[in-house]
Amino acid sequence: MEYVYGTVAIDGVTRENLKIVGGGPALAEGEYFTTVREYDDSTITDRCRIERHYDGVVGEDGVKYDFYTITEHYRYIDRTKTLNGTREAVEIAFVTMAENGSIDETTAGEHKEMFAEWKDGVSYAVGQYRNYGDKLYRCVQAHTSQEGWEPNNAASLWAIAADPAEEWPAWSQPTGAHDAYAVGAKVSHNGKHWTSDADGNVWEPGVACWTEVAE
Protein backbone atom coordinates (compact mmCIF):
# COMPACT_ATOMS: atom_id res chain seq x y z
CA MET A 1 0.00 0.00 0.00
CA GLU A 2 1.19 3.48 -0.82
CA TYR A 3 -0.36 6.71 0.45
CA VAL A 4 0.09 9.93 -1.50
CA TYR A 5 -1.16 13.26 -0.17
CA GLY A 6 -1.74 16.16 -2.53
CA THR A 7 -4.39 18.44 -3.97
CA VAL A 8 -7.06 18.12 -6.65
CA ALA A 9 -9.34 20.60 -8.41
CA ILE A 10 -13.01 19.57 -8.18
CA ASP A 11 -15.65 21.87 -9.71
CA GLY A 12 -13.07 24.64 -9.85
CA VAL A 13 -12.21 24.31 -6.15
CA THR A 14 -8.81 23.07 -4.99
CA ARG A 15 -9.18 20.40 -2.31
CA GLU A 16 -6.71 18.33 -0.37
CA ASN A 17 -6.80 14.71 -1.37
CA LEU A 18 -5.42 11.29 -0.53
CA LYS A 19 -4.51 8.71 -3.17
CA ILE A 20 -4.26 5.12 -1.97
CA VAL A 21 -2.33 2.85 -4.28
CA GLY A 22 -2.99 -0.87 -4.02
CA GLY A 23 -6.59 -1.07 -2.90
CA GLY A 24 -7.42 -2.00 0.67
CA PRO A 25 -10.65 -1.55 2.66
CA ALA A 26 -12.77 1.47 1.79
CA LEU A 27 -12.54 4.46 4.10
CA ALA A 28 -15.81 5.83 5.45
CA GLU A 29 -16.92 9.43 5.27
CA GLY A 30 -16.03 11.23 8.51
CA GLU A 31 -13.45 8.60 9.49
CA TYR A 32 -10.12 9.78 10.88
CA PHE A 33 -7.22 8.13 9.09
CA THR A 34 -3.54 7.99 10.07
CA THR A 35 -0.53 6.90 8.05
CA VAL A 36 3.09 6.52 9.15
CA ARG A 37 5.78 6.47 6.49
CA GLU A 38 9.36 5.52 7.29
CA TYR A 39 12.29 6.97 5.35
CA ASP A 40 16.04 6.72 5.81
CA ASP A 41 16.27 10.15 7.41
CA SER A 42 12.81 10.72 8.91
CA THR A 43 9.39 9.42 9.88
CA ILE A 44 6.34 11.23 8.50
CA THR A 45 2.99 10.86 10.26
CA ASP A 46 -0.18 12.18 8.58
CA ARG A 47 -3.63 12.33 10.14
CA CYS A 48 -6.74 13.49 8.32
CA ARG A 49 -10.52 13.25 8.23
CA ILE A 50 -11.99 11.49 5.20
CA GLU A 51 -14.49 13.72 3.42
CA ARG A 52 -15.58 11.49 0.56
CA HIS A 53 -14.42 8.89 -1.93
CA TYR A 54 -14.56 10.60 -5.32
CA ASP A 55 -12.88 8.13 -7.65
CA GLY A 56 -11.57 4.60 -7.91
CA VAL A 57 -9.86 3.04 -10.90
CA VAL A 58 -7.80 0.02 -11.84
CA GLY A 59 -4.76 0.99 -13.88
CA GLU A 60 -3.32 -0.79 -16.87
CA ASP A 61 -0.86 -2.38 -14.48
CA GLY A 62 -3.76 -4.01 -12.64
CA VAL A 63 -3.23 -1.89 -9.53
CA LYS A 64 -6.25 -0.28 -7.87
CA TYR A 65 -6.18 3.45 -7.17
CA ASP A 66 -8.63 5.09 -4.73
CA PHE A 67 -9.03 8.83 -4.37
CA TYR A 68 -10.49 10.69 -1.37
CA THR A 69 -10.95 14.34 -0.56
CA ILE A 70 -9.79 15.03 2.99
CA THR A 71 -10.00 17.75 5.63
CA GLU A 72 -8.30 18.47 8.98
CA HIS A 73 -5.02 17.26 7.57
CA TYR A 74 -2.08 17.41 10.01
CA ARG A 75 1.48 16.29 9.33
CA TYR A 76 4.28 15.63 11.79
CA ILE A 77 7.85 15.03 10.57
CA ASP A 78 10.18 13.35 13.04
CA ARG A 79 13.80 13.98 12.05
CA THR A 80 15.31 12.07 14.97
CA LYS A 81 16.95 9.67 12.52
CA THR A 82 18.84 12.55 10.94
CA LEU A 83 19.87 13.90 14.34
CA ASN A 84 20.98 10.45 15.48
CA GLY A 85 22.96 10.00 12.29
CA THR A 86 24.62 13.38 12.74
CA ARG A 87 25.36 12.65 16.39
CA GLU A 88 26.90 9.30 15.49
CA ALA A 89 29.10 10.92 12.84
CA VAL A 90 30.28 13.56 15.33
CA GLU A 91 31.11 10.90 17.92
CA ILE A 92 33.04 8.83 15.39
CA ALA A 93 35.02 11.92 14.36
CA PHE A 94 35.73 12.80 18.01
CA VAL A 95 36.98 9.29 18.83
CA THR A 96 39.16 9.24 15.70
CA MET A 97 40.72 12.60 16.57
CA ALA A 98 41.32 11.57 20.19
CA GLU A 99 42.98 8.32 19.15
CA ASN A 100 45.28 9.98 16.63
CA GLY A 101 46.39 12.54 19.22
CA SER A 102 44.50 15.56 17.89
CA ILE A 103 42.47 15.78 21.13
CA ASP A 104 44.15 15.75 24.52
CA GLU A 105 43.43 13.20 27.23
CA THR A 106 41.62 15.68 29.46
CA THR A 107 39.11 16.49 26.72
CA ALA A 108 38.75 12.79 25.90
CA GLY A 109 38.02 12.12 29.56
CA GLU A 110 35.28 14.74 29.55
CA HIS A 111 33.48 12.66 26.93
CA LYS A 112 34.39 9.14 28.02
CA GLU A 113 30.88 7.89 27.18
CA MET A 114 31.79 8.14 23.48
CA PHE A 115 34.38 5.40 23.77
CA ALA A 116 33.71 1.66 23.66
CA GLU A 117 34.10 -0.74 26.55
CA TRP A 118 37.24 -2.89 26.80
CA LYS A 119 36.68 -6.46 25.60
CA ASP A 120 38.59 -9.71 25.74
CA GLY A 121 40.04 -11.08 22.48
CA VAL A 122 40.39 -7.76 20.63
CA SER A 123 43.51 -6.43 18.88
CA TYR A 124 44.23 -2.96 20.28
CA ALA A 125 46.53 -0.37 18.73
CA VAL A 126 48.56 2.27 20.52
CA GLY A 127 46.46 5.37 21.19
CA GLN A 128 43.07 3.68 21.33
CA TYR A 129 40.83 4.55 24.27
CA ARG A 130 38.59 2.10 26.09
CA ASN A 131 36.35 2.30 29.14
CA TYR A 132 36.87 -0.21 31.91
CA GLY A 133 35.17 0.00 35.28
CA ASP A 134 34.65 3.69 35.96
CA LYS A 135 37.80 4.88 34.18
CA LEU A 136 38.94 5.64 30.64
CA TYR A 137 42.21 4.04 29.55
CA ARG A 138 44.58 4.68 26.65
CA CYS A 139 46.45 1.80 24.98
CA VAL A 140 50.23 2.32 25.20
CA GLN A 141 51.37 -0.97 23.68
CA ALA A 142 49.77 -2.85 20.80
CA HIS A 143 48.40 -6.23 21.87
CA THR A 144 45.50 -8.64 21.68
CA SER A 145 43.49 -8.46 24.90
CA GLN A 146 42.97 -11.50 27.07
CA GLU A 147 41.78 -12.40 30.54
CA GLY A 148 44.18 -11.06 33.13
CA TRP A 149 45.25 -8.17 30.90
CA GLU A 150 42.37 -5.90 31.83
CA PRO A 151 43.39 -2.21 31.77
CA ASN A 152 43.49 -1.97 35.56
CA ASN A 153 45.76 -5.03 35.71
CA ALA A 154 48.15 -4.23 32.83
CA ALA A 155 50.01 -0.97 33.41
CA SER A 156 52.45 -1.86 30.62
CA LEU A 157 49.57 -2.03 28.13
CA TRP A 158 47.15 0.65 29.34
CA ALA A 159 47.47 4.07 30.98
CA ILE A 160 44.64 5.87 32.76
CA ALA A 161 43.46 8.88 30.77
CA ALA A 162 42.89 12.13 32.59
CA ASP A 163 39.64 12.29 34.54
CA PRO A 164 38.42 15.92 34.67
CA ALA A 165 35.98 15.01 37.41
CA GLU A 166 38.91 14.31 39.75
CA GLU A 167 41.18 17.32 40.18
CA TRP A 168 43.74 15.55 42.38
CA PRO A 169 43.86 11.86 41.39
CA ALA A 170 45.91 9.51 43.50
CA TRP A 171 49.55 9.24 42.41
CA SER A 172 50.60 5.88 40.98
CA GLN A 173 54.14 4.77 40.21
CA PRO A 174 54.82 5.20 36.47
CA THR A 175 56.21 2.13 34.74
CA GLY A 176 57.77 3.99 31.82
CA ALA A 177 57.66 7.04 29.58
CA HIS A 178 54.12 6.22 28.43
CA ASP A 179 52.57 6.93 31.84
CA ALA A 180 55.10 9.35 33.32
CA TYR A 181 53.66 12.62 34.60
CA ALA A 182 53.82 15.83 32.59
CA VAL A 183 54.88 19.17 34.04
CA GLY A 184 51.96 20.72 35.91
CA ALA A 185 50.21 17.38 36.52
CA LYS A 186 48.20 17.31 39.75
CA VAL A 187 48.14 14.35 42.16
CA SER A 188 47.34 13.49 45.74
CA HIS A 189 49.81 11.41 47.79
CA ASN A 190 50.27 10.74 51.50
CA GLY A 191 47.39 13.07 52.32
CA LYS A 192 48.84 16.02 50.40
CA HIS A 193 48.41 17.66 47.01
CA TRP A 194 51.32 17.95 44.59
CA THR A 195 52.11 19.42 41.16
CA SER A 196 54.78 18.00 38.86
CA ASP A 197 57.84 20.16 38.19
CA ALA A 198 59.04 18.24 35.14
CA ASP A 199 57.96 16.38 32.06
CA GLY A 200 58.45 12.63 32.10
CA ASN A 201 58.28 12.68 35.88
CA VAL A 202 58.54 9.18 37.40
CA TRP A 203 59.59 10.28 40.90
CA GLU A 204 57.42 9.84 43.98
CA PRO A 205 55.96 13.07 45.37
CA GLY A 206 58.00 14.18 48.35
CA VAL A 207 61.17 12.63 46.95
CA ALA A 208 61.92 14.77 43.90
CA CYS A 209 60.41 16.81 41.05
CA TRP A 210 57.15 17.64 42.86
CA THR A 211 55.96 20.75 44.67
CA GLU A 212 53.54 20.45 47.56
CA VAL A 213 50.47 22.65 47.16
CA ALA A 214 49.44 24.37 50.37
CA GLU A 215 45.70 24.30 51.09
Side-chain angles (χ1 to χ4, degrees), residues 165-171 185-188 192-195 213 215:
E166 189 174 6
E167 184 179 5
W168 301 94
W171 175 83
K186 298 179 179 181
V187 300
S188 60
K192 299 177 181 179
H193 289 162
W194 307 81
T195 58
V213 178
E215 296 297 327

Side-chain angles (χ1 to χ4, degrees), residues 36-202:
V36 179
R37 292 171 288 169
E38 298 284 352
Y39 299 95
D40 290 341
D41 61 350
S42 62
T43 300
I44 300 178
T45 301
D46 285 276
R47 180 171 173 79
C48 64
R49 183 173 183 271
I50 301 301
E51 187 175 56
R52 71 183 181 90
H53 180 260
Y54 69 88
D55 199 2
V57 298
V58 176
E60 294 181 357
D61 53 5
V63 176
K64 184 180 180 182
Y65 297 82
D66 286 295
F67 299 85
Y68 298 84
T69 55
I70 59 176
T71 60
E72 301 176 36
H73 180 205
Y74 301 96
R75 171 171 290 174
Y76 172 70
I77 301 177
D78 182 356
R79 301 192 185 279
T80 304
K81 292 180 181 178
T82 299
L83 295 175
N84 288 342
T86 301
R87 185 180 300 111
E88 182 178 352
V90 169
E91 291 184 357
I92 290 173
F94 181 89
V95 169
T96 300
M97 292 175 67
E99 294 184 340
N100 68 22
S102 299
I103 292 176
D104 62 87
E105 288 188 350
T106 299
T107 303
E110 291 173 347
H111 303 280
K112 64 188 297 289
E113 72 282 353
M114 293 187 183
F115 299 92
E117 295 289 331
W118 178 90
K119 291 184 179 180
D120 184 11
V122 176
S123 294
Y124 289 112
V126 173
Q128 287 186 303
Y129 286 89
R130 287 298 182 269
N131 283 298
Y132 188 79
D134 61 350
K135 292 182 172 61
L136 180 67
Y137 293 82
R138 178 175 52 83
C139 179
V140 296
Q141 182 176 320
H143 66 285
T144 298
S145 58
Q146 64 182 42
E147 186 177 352
W149 288 6
E150 295 83 1
N152 63 328
N153 292 325
S156 63
L157 303 177
W158 296 93
I160 297 176
D163 182 358
E166 189 174 6
E167 184 179 5
W168 301 94
W171 175 83
S172 62
Q173 178 64 61
T175 59
H178 66 275
D179 60 349
Y181 289 94
V183 63
K186 298 179 179 181
V187 300
S188 60
H189 186 61
N190 291 335
K192 299 177 181 179
H193 289 162
W194 307 81
T195 58
S196 173
D197 298 328
D199 277 323
N201 188 354
V202 298

